[in-house]
PDB file of all heavy atoms in Angstrom:
ATOM      1  N   THR S   1      47.305 -81.448-104.510  1.00  0.00           N
ATOM      2  CA  THR S   1      45.902 -81.397-104.890  1.00  0.00           C
ATOM      3  C   THR S   1      44.998 -81.966-103.803  1.00  0.00           C
ATOM      4  O   THR S   1      43.875 -81.487-103.610  1.00  0.00           O
ATOM      5  CB  THR S   1      45.663 -82.156-106.212  1.00  0.00           C
ATOM      6  OG1 THR S   1      46.171 -83.489-106.101  1.00  0.00           O
ATOM      7  CG2 THR S   1      46.346 -81.446-107.365  1.00  0.00           C
ATOM      8  N   GLU S   2      45.494 -82.973-103.096  1.00  0.00           N
ATOM      9  CA  GLU S   2      44.710 -83.499-101.976  1.00  0.00           C
ATOM     10  C   GLU S   2      44.555 -82.435-100.892  1.00  0.00           C
ATOM     11  O   GLU S   2      43.467 -82.236-100.345  1.00  0.00           O
ATOM     12  CB  GLU S   2      45.375 -84.749-101.413  1.00  0.00           C
ATOM     13  CG  GLU S   2      45.283 -85.955-102.334  1.00  0.00           C
ATOM     14  CD  GLU S   2      46.091 -87.138-101.822  1.00  0.00           C
ATOM     15  OE1 GLU S   2      46.794 -86.974-100.803  1.00  0.00           O
ATOM     16  OE2 GLU S   2      46.011 -88.209-102.444  1.00  0.00           O
ATOM     17  N   ALA S   3      45.652 -81.745-100.586  1.00  0.00           N
ATOM     18  CA  ALA S   3      45.597 -80.694 -99.570  1.00  0.00           C
ATOM     19  C   ALA S   3      44.757 -79.512-100.029  1.00  0.00           C
ATOM     20  O   ALA S   3      44.147 -78.818 -99.211  1.00  0.00           O
ATOM     21  CB  ALA S   3      47.016 -80.231 -99.231  1.00  0.00           C
ATOM     22  N   ALA S   4      44.713 -79.277-101.345  1.00  0.00           N
ATOM     23  CA  ALA S   4      43.991 -78.116-101.884  1.00  0.00           C
ATOM     24  C   ALA S   4      42.495 -78.352-102.008  1.00  0.00           C
ATOM     25  O   ALA S   4      41.732 -77.391-102.177  1.00  0.00           O
ATOM     26  CB  ALA S   4      44.556 -77.757-103.251  1.00  0.00           C
ATOM     27  N   GLN S   5      42.047 -79.594-101.916  1.00  0.00           N
ATOM     28  CA  GLN S   5      40.650 -79.896-102.222  1.00  0.00           C
ATOM     29  C   GLN S   5      39.663 -79.131-101.344  1.00  0.00           C
ATOM     30  O   GLN S   5      38.634 -78.641-101.824  1.00  0.00           O
ATOM     31  CB  GLN S   5      40.395 -81.398-102.103  1.00  0.00           C
ATOM     32  CG  GLN S   5      39.020 -81.821-102.628  1.00  0.00           C
ATOM     33  CD  GLN S   5      38.836 -81.518-104.099  1.00  0.00           C
ATOM     34  OE1 GLN S   5      39.679 -81.870-104.918  1.00  0.00           O
ATOM     35  NE2 GLN S   5      37.729 -80.849-104.444  1.00  0.00           N
ATOM     36  N   SER S   6      39.961 -79.009-100.059  1.00  0.00           N
ATOM     37  CA  SER S   6      39.030 -78.292 -99.178  1.00  0.00           C
ATOM     38  C   SER S   6      38.933 -76.817 -99.567  1.00  0.00           C
ATOM     39  O   SER S   6      37.858 -76.207 -99.451  1.00  0.00           O
ATOM     40  CB  SER S   6      39.466 -78.428 -97.715  1.00  0.00           C
ATOM     41  OG  SER S   6      40.742 -77.841 -97.509  1.00  0.00           O
ATOM     42  N   MET S   7      40.018 -76.236-100.052  1.00  0.00           N
ATOM     43  CA  MET S   7      39.993 -74.853-100.510  1.00  0.00           C
ATOM     44  C   MET S   7      39.148 -74.721-101.774  1.00  0.00           C
ATOM     45  O   MET S   7      38.407 -73.743-101.945  1.00  0.00           O
ATOM     46  CB  MET S   7      41.421 -74.349-100.749  1.00  0.00           C
ATOM     47  CG  MET S   7      42.261 -74.325 -99.473  1.00  0.00           C
ATOM     48  SD  MET S   7      44.004 -73.914 -99.776  1.00  0.00           S
ATOM     49  CE  MET S   7      43.867 -72.223-100.309  1.00  0.00           C
ATOM     50  N   LEU S   8      39.241 -75.708-102.653  1.00  0.00           N
ATOM     51  CA  LEU S   8      38.409 -75.696-103.856  1.00  0.00           C
ATOM     52  C   LEU S   8      36.935 -75.828-103.494  1.00  0.00           C
ATOM     53  O   LEU S   8      36.078 -75.135-104.064  1.00  0.00           O
ATOM     54  CB  LEU S   8      38.811 -76.839-104.791  1.00  0.00           C
ATOM     55  CG  LEU S   8      40.206 -76.802-105.404  1.00  0.00           C
ATOM     56  CD1 LEU S   8      40.372 -77.956-106.379  1.00  0.00           C
ATOM     57  CD2 LEU S   8      40.483 -75.489-106.094  1.00  0.00           C
ATOM     58  N   ASP S   9      36.634 -76.707-102.545  1.00  0.00           N
ATOM     59  CA  ASP S   9      35.243 -76.888-102.127  1.00  0.00           C
ATOM     60  C   ASP S   9      34.670 -75.594-101.552  1.00  0.00           C
ATOM     61  O   ASP S   9      33.526 -75.221-101.852  1.00  0.00           O
ATOM     62  CB  ASP S   9      35.146 -78.002-101.086  1.00  0.00           C
ATOM     63  CG  ASP S   9      35.480 -79.370-101.661  1.00  0.00           C
ATOM     64  OD1 ASP S   9      35.438 -79.528-102.897  1.00  0.00           O
ATOM     65  OD2 ASP S   9      35.792 -80.283-100.865  1.00  0.00           O
ATOM     66  N   SER S  10      35.475 -74.906-100.742  1.00  0.00           N
ATOM     67  CA  SER S  10      35.022 -73.651-100.149  1.00  0.00           C
ATOM     68  C   SER S  10      34.804 -72.581-101.213  1.00  0.00           C
ATOM     69  O   SER S  10      33.808 -71.840-101.184  1.00  0.00           O
ATOM     70  CB  SER S  10      36.055 -73.165 -99.125  1.00  0.00           C
ATOM     71  OG  SER S  10      35.682 -71.918 -98.594  1.00  0.00           O
ATOM     72  N   MET S  11      35.696 -72.501-102.171  1.00  0.00           N
ATOM     73  CA  MET S  11      35.567 -71.530-103.254  1.00  0.00           C
ATOM     74  C   MET S  11      34.334 -71.830-104.106  1.00  0.00           C
ATOM     75  O   MET S  11      33.598 -70.925-104.513  1.00  0.00           O
ATOM     76  CB  MET S  11      36.831 -71.553-104.103  1.00  0.00           C
ATOM     77  CG  MET S  11      36.874 -70.523-105.212  1.00  0.00           C
ATOM     78  SD  MET S  11      38.458 -70.597-106.078  1.00  0.00           S
ATOM     79  CE  MET S  11      38.083 -69.534-107.483  1.00  0.00           C
ATOM     80  N   ARG S  12      34.094 -73.098-104.377  1.00  0.00           N
ATOM     81  CA  ARG S  12      32.906 -73.499-105.117  1.00  0.00           C
ATOM     82  C   ARG S  12      31.632 -73.082-104.395  1.00  0.00           C
ATOM     83  O   ARG S  12      30.689 -72.568-104.999  1.00  0.00           O
ATOM     84  CB  ARG S  12      32.927 -75.014-105.312  1.00  0.00           C
ATOM     85  CG  ARG S  12      31.737 -75.568-106.068  1.00  0.00           C
ATOM     86  CD  ARG S  12      30.957 -76.682-105.392  1.00  0.00           C
ATOM     87  NE  ARG S  12      31.232 -76.982-104.026  1.00  0.00           N
ATOM     88  CZ  ARG S  12      31.583 -78.187-103.592  1.00  0.00           C
ATOM     89  NH1 ARG S  12      31.765 -79.180-104.445  1.00  0.00           N
ATOM     90  NH2 ARG S  12      31.749 -78.405-102.301  1.00  0.00           N
ATOM     91  N   ASP S  13      31.608 -73.259-103.081  1.00  0.00           N
ATOM     92  CA  ASP S  13      30.431 -72.877-102.307  1.00  0.00           C
ATOM     93  C   ASP S  13      30.217 -71.368-102.314  1.00  0.00           C
ATOM     94  O   ASP S  13      29.077 -70.892-102.302  1.00  0.00           O
ATOM     95  CB  ASP S  13      30.566 -73.383-100.872  1.00  0.00           C
ATOM     96  CG  ASP S  13      30.573 -74.903-100.780  1.00  0.00           C
ATOM     97  OD1 ASP S  13      30.145 -75.548-101.762  1.00  0.00           O
ATOM     98  OD2 ASP S  13      31.018 -75.434 -99.751  1.00  0.00           O
ATOM     99  N   THR S  14      31.314 -70.608-102.328  1.00  0.00           N
ATOM    100  CA  THR S  14      31.219 -69.149-102.345  1.00  0.00           C
ATOM    101  C   THR S  14      30.689 -68.637-103.686  1.00  0.00           C
ATOM    102  O   THR S  14      29.795 -67.791-103.736  1.00  0.00           O
ATOM    103  CB  THR S  14      32.587 -68.511-102.057  1.00  0.00           C
ATOM    104  OG1 THR S  14      33.012 -68.900-100.758  1.00  0.00           O
ATOM    105  CG2 THR S  14      32.525 -66.989-102.138  1.00  0.00           C
ATOM    106  N   LEU S  15      31.237 -69.170-104.776  1.00  0.00           N
ATOM    107  CA  LEU S  15      30.882 -68.681-106.113  1.00  0.00           C
ATOM    108  C   LEU S  15      29.711 -69.437-106.728  1.00  0.00           C
ATOM    109  O   LEU S  15      29.121 -68.972-107.716  1.00  0.00           O
ATOM    110  CB  LEU S  15      32.092 -68.783-107.038  1.00  0.00           C
ATOM    111  CG  LEU S  15      33.304 -67.948-106.637  1.00  0.00           C
ATOM    112  CD1 LEU S  15      34.454 -68.164-107.622  1.00  0.00           C
ATOM    113  CD2 LEU S  15      32.937 -66.462-106.566  1.00  0.00           C
ATOM    114  N   GLU S  16      29.399 -70.591-106.176  1.00  0.00           N
ATOM    115  CA  GLU S  16      28.312 -71.431-106.684  1.00  0.00           C
ATOM    116  C   GLU S  16      28.539 -71.855-108.130  1.00  0.00           C
ATOM    117  O   GLU S  16      27.609 -71.958-108.926  1.00  0.00           O
ATOM    118  CB  GLU S  16      26.960 -70.719-106.528  1.00  0.00           C
ATOM    119  CG  GLU S  16      26.619 -70.376-105.088  1.00  0.00           C
ATOM    120  CD  GLU S  16      25.272 -69.696-104.944  1.00  0.00           C
ATOM    121  OE1 GLU S  16      24.923 -68.907-105.846  1.00  0.00           O
ATOM    122  OE2 GLU S  16      24.585 -69.955-103.954  1.00  0.00           O
ATOM    123  N   ASP S  17      29.801 -72.077-108.461  1.00  0.00           N
ATOM    124  CA  ASP S  17      30.189 -72.570-109.774  1.00  0.00           C
ATOM    125  C   ASP S  17      31.383 -73.500-109.607  1.00  0.00           C
ATOM    126  O   ASP S  17      32.130 -73.388-108.622  1.00  0.00           O
ATOM    127  CB  ASP S  17      30.557 -71.413-110.708  1.00  0.00           C
ATOM    128  CG  ASP S  17      29.347 -70.862-111.456  1.00  0.00           C
ATOM    129  OD1 ASP S  17      28.596 -71.665-112.036  1.00  0.00           O
ATOM    130  OD2 ASP S  17      29.158 -69.632-111.454  1.00  0.00           O
ATOM    131  N   PRO S  18      31.611 -74.421-110.546  1.00  0.00           N
ATOM    132  CA  PRO S  18      32.726 -75.359-110.415  1.00  0.00           C
ATOM    133  C   PRO S  18      34.073 -74.659-110.523  1.00  0.00           C
ATOM    134  O   PRO S  18      34.247 -73.725-111.314  1.00  0.00           O
ATOM    135  CB  PRO S  18      32.520 -76.331-111.581  1.00  0.00           C
ATOM    136  CG  PRO S  18      31.647 -75.611-112.546  1.00  0.00           C
ATOM    137  CD  PRO S  18      30.785 -74.716-111.743  1.00  0.00           C
ATOM    138  N   VAL S  19      35.027 -75.119-109.727  1.00  0.00           N
ATOM    139  CA  VAL S  19      36.391 -74.583-109.755  1.00  0.00           C
ATOM    140  C   VAL S  19      37.365 -75.744-109.944  1.00  0.00           C
ATOM    141  O   VAL S  19      37.079 -76.881-109.565  1.00  0.00           O
ATOM    142  CB  VAL S  19      36.729 -73.792-108.476  1.00  0.00           C
ATOM    143  CG1 VAL S  19      35.853 -72.564-108.358  1.00  0.00           C
ATOM    144  CG2 VAL S  19      36.592 -74.664-107.241  1.00  0.00           C
ATOM    145  N   SER S  20      38.513 -75.419-110.529  1.00  0.00           N
ATOM    146  CA  SER S  20      39.466 -76.472-110.896  1.00  0.00           C
ATOM    147  C   SER S  20      40.900 -75.996-110.740  1.00  0.00           C
ATOM    148  O   SER S  20      41.173 -74.790-110.714  1.00  0.00           O
ATOM    149  CB  SER S  20      39.263 -76.896-112.361  1.00  0.00           C
ATOM    150  OG  SER S  20      37.923 -77.232-112.633  1.00  0.00           O
ATOM    151  N   ILE S  21      41.805 -76.960-110.652  1.00  0.00           N
ATOM    152  CA  ILE S  21      43.248 -76.704-110.762  1.00  0.00           C
ATOM    153  C   ILE S  21      43.740 -77.501-111.961  1.00  0.00           C
ATOM    154  O   ILE S  21      43.403 -78.682-112.117  1.00  0.00           O
ATOM    155  CB  ILE S  21      44.004 -77.127-109.499  1.00  0.00           C
ATOM    156  CG1 ILE S  21      43.583 -76.258-108.310  1.00  0.00           C
ATOM    157  CG2 ILE S  21      45.514 -77.018-109.705  1.00  0.00           C
ATOM    158  CD1 ILE S  21      44.182 -76.700-106.988  1.00  0.00           C
ATOM    159  N   THR S  22      44.523 -76.854-112.814  1.00  0.00           N
ATOM    160  CA  THR S  22      45.102 -77.532-113.966  1.00  0.00           C
ATOM    161  C   THR S  22      46.612 -77.337-113.980  1.00  0.00           C
ATOM    162  O   THR S  22      47.137 -76.396-113.383  1.00  0.00           O
ATOM    163  CB  THR S  22      44.531 -77.009-115.292  1.00  0.00           C
ATOM    164  OG1 THR S  22      44.917 -75.644-115.462  1.00  0.00           O
ATOM    165  CG2 THR S  22      43.019 -77.122-115.322  1.00  0.00           C
ATOM    166  N   MET S  23      47.294 -78.239-114.683  1.00  0.00           N
ATOM    167  CA  MET S  23      48.735 -78.145-114.883  1.00  0.00           C
ATOM    168  C   MET S  23      49.049 -78.384-116.347  1.00  0.00           C
ATOM    169  O   MET S  23      48.252 -78.996-117.073  1.00  0.00           O
ATOM    170  CB  MET S  23      49.478 -79.154-113.996  1.00  0.00           C
ATOM    171  CG  MET S  23      49.356 -78.858-112.525  1.00  0.00           C
ATOM    172  SD  MET S  23      50.228 -80.080-111.509  1.00  0.00           S
ATOM    173  CE  MET S  23      49.872 -79.451-109.865  1.00  0.00           C
ATOM    174  N   LEU S  24      50.201 -77.905-116.762  1.00  0.00           N
ATOM    175  CA  LEU S  24      50.622 -78.043-118.152  1.00  0.00           C
ATOM    176  C   LEU S  24      51.256 -79.405-118.378  1.00  0.00           C
ATOM    177  O   LEU S  24      52.160 -79.810-117.650  1.00  0.00           O
ATOM    178  CB  LEU S  24      51.618 -76.933-118.494  1.00  0.00           C
ATOM    179  CG  LEU S  24      52.048 -76.814-119.961  1.00  0.00           C
ATOM    180  CD1 LEU S  24      50.857 -76.416-120.828  1.00  0.00           C
ATOM    181  CD2 LEU S  24      53.158 -75.780-120.094  1.00  0.00           C
ATOM    182  N   GLU S  25      50.774 -80.111-119.382  1.00  0.00           N
ATOM    183  CA  GLU S  25      51.342 -81.413-119.741  1.00  0.00           C
ATOM    184  C   GLU S  25      51.190 -81.610-121.238  1.00  0.00           C
ATOM    185  O   GLU S  25      50.079 -81.553-121.778  1.00  0.00           O
ATOM    186  CB  GLU S  25      50.632 -82.541-119.000  1.00  0.00           C
ATOM    187  CG  GLU S  25      51.199 -83.921-119.297  1.00  0.00           C
ATOM    188  CD  GLU S  25      50.468 -85.013-118.535  1.00  0.00           C
ATOM    189  OE1 GLU S  25      50.389 -84.914-117.298  1.00  0.00           O
ATOM    190  OE2 GLU S  25      49.973 -85.948-119.183  1.00  0.00           O
TER     191      GLU S  25
END
């Protein structure tokens, strides 16, 4: 998730909406 954060930030900037990663627990 630390490594993925920059990809999430870029995706958020592209779509202009919040993005998330979730896992099953």
Side-chain angles (χ1 to χ4, degrees):
T1 54
E2 289 173 355
Q5 189 61 50
S6 62
M7 297 173 67
L8 295 184
D9 293 341
S10 177
M11 184 177 169
R12 180 234 11 236
D13 295 343
T14 298
L15 298 179
E16 300 181 324
D17 272 311
V19 296
S20 308
I21 294 174
T22 65
M23 294 179 181
L24 187 65
E25 182 180 305

